[in-house]
Amino acid sequence: MTQEIWQSRPADLYGRRTHDRLFNALWGAITVFGGMAALSRWTPSRVAPVSRTIAAVITKREMVTSDVVALTLADPDGGLLPSWTPGGHIDVQLPSGRRRQYSLCGVPGRRTEYRIAVRRLDDGGGGSVEMHESYAEGDTLLFEGPRNAFYLGTGENEALFVIGGIGVTPMLPMLREAAQRGIDWRAVYAGRSRADMPLLDEVLAVDPDRVTVWADDEHGRFAGTEELLAGAGPQTAVYVCGPSAMLEAVRVTRDEHADAPLHYERFSPPPVVDGEPFEVELARSGRVLEIPADRSALDVMLDADPTTAYSCRQGFCGTCKVTVVSGDVDRRGRTAEGDEEMLVCVSRANGRRIVIDA
Ligand code: FES
């Protein structure tokens, strides 16, 4: 059982898969209580469909940490890019056909240029590596959007922003907006070391007196929820963006203040909850894939075919939607799945086998 939990859990607060005892205890709590927390606090996203492809030119490419590249984008003809709001993201169409979502981290609302930042994950799905290696200044980048499922609420008087590593990208413009709106805000930015924390100088520049920096190498451990949520009162709106473990820990801890707003955005897929093994039959080839209890159908399909389309891996963008030929789908997506559709990143089978048109 312990091994099963280990295999299904995400990496630690910053993407590591070390077996430290504190994290084991934390993950155990998440495994037990996470589903309940999701039921009580989940807010459906307001994601509008993305409908047109836009070409932008890369006007600046810079490494902001040793493994994070920031790209500045502009209209090739010097015009304005579509309007956007803090927390918004674009869907990048990579040369390989992959699609990946990246938050806009430039000056809020600025339409003469966008900026995105991408952490390279050599053991990821290949998208971040392609982002790092495929684009130079002067190249064209195709994207759809922007769209936004992670807004700064209109009624907030007091807000805490909990940031983990590359989770800073949607948060930086939100901090700037909070400052502009006169919200009583604070931020906790956690990372392995200051050198590993992208855009740290810009976060501090918003208002250094309101930002707490937690660098693991300065404390000898990663931040617990007592540090991440220090000073958050019962009515404080909490925004969190970072790795799954950080997000789940904050979410579980804030459940004691169920009336206070809690907003979060994941950068990695959530762990499978209450998964049962099943089979996916690919109708066109007749190939049958075994889906274990702790993995998504998409993960196994990617093992078989790395070009399988996906983007968010969280059931809201619709990129991975397939047509179901036969079988009963346990629908778990946040975007609509029709009677003969399945989001393979999150949905599962009620029976033993699903046959899909793939
Ligand atoms: S990849 Fe976005 S819904 Fe499945």
Side-chain angles (χ1 to χ4, degrees), residues 101 147 298 309-321 333-335 343-346:
Q101 299 176 327
R147 55 184 180 174
L298 174 65
Y310 73 90
S311 185
C312 71
R313 302 182 85 157
Q314 299 168 46
F316 66 79
C317 75
T319 304
C320 70
K321 189 180 287 183
R334 292 157 60 191
T335 193
L343 298 171
V344 292
C345 65
V346 289

Side-chain angles (χ1 to χ4, degrees), residues 185-209:
W185 66 275
R186 291 185 310 101
V188 178
Y189 188 179
R192 299 178 194 181
S193 68
R194 289 176 188 254
D196 283 319
M197 297 160 76
L199 311 178
L200 176 59
D201 54 341
E202 294 181 51
V203 169
L204 289 169
V206 181
D207 187 341
D209 295 335

